[in-house]
Amino acid sequence: MATESPARIRGFISRLARGPEALRGAFVLITATIAALVWANLPGDSYQTFWHLPLGFELGGFRFELSLQHWINDAVMAVFFAHVTLEVRREIELGELRDWRRASVPVIAAVAGLVIPALVYVGVTWGSDAVGGWGVVVSTDTAFVLGMLALVGRGMPPQLRIFLVTLAVADDVGALGVIAFAYTGHFNPLPLLLAAAGLAVIAVMRFLGVWRGALYLLPSIMVWVGLYLSGVHATLAGVAIALLLPIFATGFDDLRRARDHMRAFQMSPTAGYARTAENSLARAISINERAHRALMPYITWLILPMFALANAGVRITGESLADAFTSTLTWGILIGLVVGKIVAITVSTWIVTRVRPGVLGPAVRMSHILGVSMLAGMGFTISLFVTELAFDDPVDVSRAQIGVIAATVIAAALGAITFSIVSARERRRSPHRDRLVRALDPARDPVLGDSTSAVIAVVEYGNYATPYSPGAGEMRQEMEGRFGGDVVYSFRHLPLEQPLGRSAAIANEAAALQGRFWEMRDELLREAPIETERQIRRAAAAAGLNLRRFEEDSGDAATAQRVEEDLQDAEMMHLNEAPTYFIDNVRYEGSIDAGSVNAAVANARDAAVQKVAG
């Protein structure tokens, strides 16, 4: 056992280093929370003294000063709420919330997860002064929950993460509304004119097509100052600003223009061409997308840990614990977050699935939803944030903080236990999940490269009906250029639930009968995501197909059977996400981006070469 423990620790650290950003972010947030608790319980009052240090400036007769904690809670957290709102806008405009049929279940679950925990809390604290703190229990900490799912929910269907992200986004919208309407302080309408002016400037800049993100900074500061002086909680400035920032899907013309400028730079690598290429790439991506990606590391590694360090430091003694756990406030938070979230999300989802069977998709079951509902009790960040707004008495603040931290720990433990049980069942149900059940067959499968001389094979299961399809095409092109004859690459179909994804897959196989599988695939990727039959016909024409024969072959049962065979293999391996890659017959479980996938291919290639040499 002594030698096994360090090995387990090393294994955990290795998984953490290789794991997704959400897992690493959750680990940093936990570390900051523990540091805050340790610091707050050291002898003396250094924790409180440090976070209440005044910090500000004086300009003429105007003096502006906040404590360090208030700078974090009122200003720095505005950036966090802006980041959350950017994701909400992206999901509504381009992502999962755009398709109401797919989004309806987690949105309904999120609404139930806001209302029922609040009612539970009010019921527990009814008749006491603490009843006004119901907003503490409405929110789910997105960073913690996604990190925990990445840690304990490995091997779960990808649709479960989509369900959770949609749930968290809808939950965040509700939590922001609660903060705006229930916990606004003394209101002074005059400074709102300054905020309105800043928002008007942002709106005009958006209308004029201003694409340089830095130019939006000054009017954003105006909005924050105006809201702060008005008494409306200043973090809502981030929400208002993010709602106005431009968002759009990258168009083919933008991609072509950026590609032309990149080609010009390759032919003549000068500073001028480099600047032009850089600008064309930036203009092809909306400010919403660029800002969301740029802020992500600061949110993960700085803002949320700093918030936890400044707000999670509650002094824990036998006396404070005894006081907290004999208080209806603490129990209201515990029961509201843990029990309320489980009941709300599980029961509401169960009711919707009874009314509309199959709406979750074949891969997600109620056991998965139960695990997610348990993790949803981790309210942490926004719960602690609302605690500071809801209570003035330091004793009530301490009771609420203890309740939030205890609920987060209990919810994490319940979720981990549930997912470990579900994972064990999944492994028994799908023993072939990690390996390719049918090896690459050049006589059947389309291949790029020479299968007789290649060191390893890469098989992709993908489709054309998701926004991620074009990225898979770029990944394959980069793979070909980087590995040459060392790697043979093949593509199999995984249209999942998208009807036009299936039509596109059949069209691709019809093109293969004319010897133009890869040409058709490239054209379908240029059209992706496939949302109309017209796109398929346009791709067929661009691929140089005989259109009359193409129409006949597309209706042939043998062509559809070829796609059905790929789907049967995918079902046996429990594949629920496109694209999914198998590298040297082993399922790849890492991030789906060109750098990560090709790094895994390089590692497999090097290992295979060493094995042959040894």
Side-chain angles (χ1 to χ4, degrees):
M1 289 295 291
T3 58
E4 192 178 40
S5 236
R8 287 183 177 178
I9 294 172
R10 286 195 300 271
F12 171 76
I13 294 173
S14 175
R15 289 196 304 275
L16 183 66
R18 298 192 312 268
E21 191 77 13
L23 177 55
R24 296 194 292 271
F27 181 76
V28 172
L29 194 55
I30 292 171
T31 302
T33 303
I34 294 172
L37 289 169
V38 171
W39 186 3
N41 286 278
L42 292 175
D45 58 353
S46 62
Y47 180 86
Q48 294 295 334
T49 301
F50 178 80
W51 292 112
H52 286 87
L53 283 173
L55 184 65
F57 61 90
E58 188 171 350
L59 186 63
F62 178 75
R63 180 180 179 85
F64 189 84
E65 185 177 274
L66 295 173
S67 70
L68 189 55
Q69 185 185 45
H70 277 103
W71 273 112
I72 292 171
N73 290 354
D74 290 356
V76 175
M77 285 298 284
V79 180
F80 167 74
F81 283 112
H83 186 261
V84 169
T85 309
L86 288 171
E87 184 168 8
V88 171
R89 281 284 317 284
R90 188 177 60 178
E91 292 296 327
I92 291 174
E93 298 282 344
L94 306 173
E96 295 301 322
L97 293 180
R98 182 179 59 171
D99 183 354
W100 173 245
R101 185 181 182 279
R102 292 172 61 87
S104 60
V105 185
V107 168
I108 291 170
V111 172
L114 292 167
V115 174
I116 292 178
L119 292 176
V120 169
Y121 175 89
V122 170
V124 173
T125 60
W126 188 258
S128 70
D129 294 337
V131 72
W134 57 269
V136 175
V137 301
V138 300
S139 182
T140 294
D141 191 302
T142 305
F144 257 147
V145 172
L146 290 178
M148 281 298 297
L149 184 65
L151 180 63
V152 304
R154 301 177 71 206
M156 293 296 105
Q159 287 87 347
L160 187 64
R161 189 183 186 280
I162 294 173
F163 178 95
L164 181 55
V165 168
T166 309
L167 174 78
V169 166
D171 180 279
D172 288 337
V173 172
L176 295 175
V178 167
I179 293 170
F181 294 105
Y183 295 108
T184 292
H186 301 292
F187 182 62
N188 179 9
L190 190 60
L192 286 180
L193 295 176
L194 179 62
L199 292 173
V201 172
I202 293 173
V204 170
M205 291 170 67
R206 173 180 175 172
F207 177 77
L208 295 176
V210 176
W211 58 273
R212 295 183 185 276
L215 297 178
Y216 288 86
L217 183 59
L218 183 58
S220 298
I221 294 173
M222 292 171 55
V223 175
W224 184 87
V225 173
L227 286 181
Y228 179 82
L229 295 177
S230 73
V232 176
H233 204 277
T235 51
L236 296 176
V239 178
I241 294 161
L243 286 173
L244 285 178
L245 290 179
I247 181 171
F248 53 82
T250 300
F252 180 71
D253 289 340
D254 295 323
L255 290 174
R256 184 177 57 191
R257 189 179 302 112
R259 190 186 307 118
D260 291 343
H261 288 147
M262 286 296 296
R263 189 177 296 114
F265 172 70
Q266 289 173 339
M267 296 177 65
S268 179
T270 64
Y273 280 124
R275 181 66 178 269
T276 303
E278 183 181 356
N279 288 344
S280 66
L281 287 171
R283 296 184 72 161
I285 307 297
S286 71
I287 291 178
N288 176 289
E289 186 73 21
R290 282 185 278 135
H292 185 272
R293 187 172 184 84
L295 289 175
M296 177 66 77
Y298 296 100
I299 298 293
T300 301
W301 304 106
L302 181 63
I303 291 176
L304 287 180
M306 189 186 300
F307 173 82
L309 199 59
N311 290 275
V314 56
R315 186 175 289 276
I316 298 176
T317 63
E319 183 180 348
S320 67
L321 289 176
D323 172 72
F325 286 104
T326 54
S327 164
T328 56
L329 192 162
T330 303
W331 282 106
I333 291 173
L334 266 172
I335 299 172
L337 278 173
V338 178
V339 179
K341 289 287 186 182
I342 293 173
V343 172
I345 295 171
T346 305
V347 172
S348 62
T349 303
W350 182 83
I351 291 172
V352 174
T353 56
R354 297 284 77 75
V355 176
R356 297 170 58 190
V359 72
L360 285 177
V364 180
R365 292 183 292 279
M366 285 306 302
S367 58
H368 299 136
I369 301 301
L370 177 62
V372 164
S373 71
M374 291 176 175
L375 293 181
M378 302 171 70
F380 198 73
T381 302
I382 296 183
S383 293
L384 289 177
F385 185 82
V386 176
T387 292
E388 294 291 331
L389 303 177
F391 302 111
D392 296 321
D393 187 344
V395 175
D396 285 341
V397 171
S398 174
R399 291 168 176 169
Q401 288 173 329
I402 290 173
V404 169
I405 293 170
T408 299
V409 172
I410 292 170
L414 289 175
I417 292 169
T418 300
F419 275 115
S420 66
I421 295 171
V422 174
S423 294
R425 288 182 178 176
E426 294 287 346
R427 285 192 295 271
R428 289 195 299 269
R429 182 175 297 171
S430 305
H432 305 296
R433 121 186 345 259
D434 296 325
R435 297 193 67 83
L436 192 65
V437 294
R438 178 165 45 82
L440 177 66
D441 180 4
R444 175 194 182 277
D445 298 310
V447 294
L448 288 173
D450 186 351
S451 60
T452 60
S453 61
V455 178
I456 62 168
V458 176
V459 177
E460 175 193 347
Y461 280 80
N463 68 23
Y464 302 101
T466 71
Y468 309 106
S469 302
E474 295 169 11
M475 203 177 304
R476 184 259 295 175
Q477 293 167 8
E478 184 175 331
M479 190 183 300
E480 285 183 273
R482 180 173 174 181
F483 300 110
D486 289 344
V487 174
V488 62
Y489 168 82
S490 183
F491 178 84
R492 293 174 180 171
H493 302 288
L494 185 58
L496 298 174
E497 300 171 18
Q498 303 94 346
L500 286 174
R502 189 182 187 90
S503 298
I506 292 172
N508 206 169
E509 288 303 317
L513 297 177
Q514 297 186 39
R516 303 191 71 81
F517 179 91
W518 296 108
E519 291 84 354
M520 182 63 171
R521 172 163 160 73
D522 289 341
E523 294 302 329
L524 286 169
L525 287 174
R526 289 189 182 96
E527 295 283 348
I530 302 297
E531 296 175 339
T532 66
E533 293 284 354
R534 183 179 179 184
Q535 288 176 281
I536 297 175
R537 291 193 295 272
R538 189 163 57 210
L545 298 179
N546 179 318
L547 296 182
R548 179 176 295 178
R549 182 182 169 189
F550 168 73
E551 293 290 346
E552 293 175 356
D553 291 338
S554 294
D556 192 334
T559 307
Q561 179 60 29
R562 169 68 176 74
V563 176
E564 192 62 34
E565 289 172 1
D566 287 351
L567 279 171
Q568 290 172 359
D569 291 342
E571 184 177 356
M572 188 179 299
M573 294 180 291
H574 208 66
L575 304 187
N576 303 295
E577 180 181 35
T580 295
Y581 293 90
F582 286 84
I583 302 172
D584 203 18
N585 293 329
V586 178
R587 183 175 180 174
Y588 169 72
E589 298 281 5
S591 300
I592 302 297
D593 61 83
S596 301
V597 173
N598 287 330
V601 173
N603 291 337
R605 187 263 319 262
D606 295 343
V609 169
Q610 291 176 4
K611 184 177 180 180
V612 172

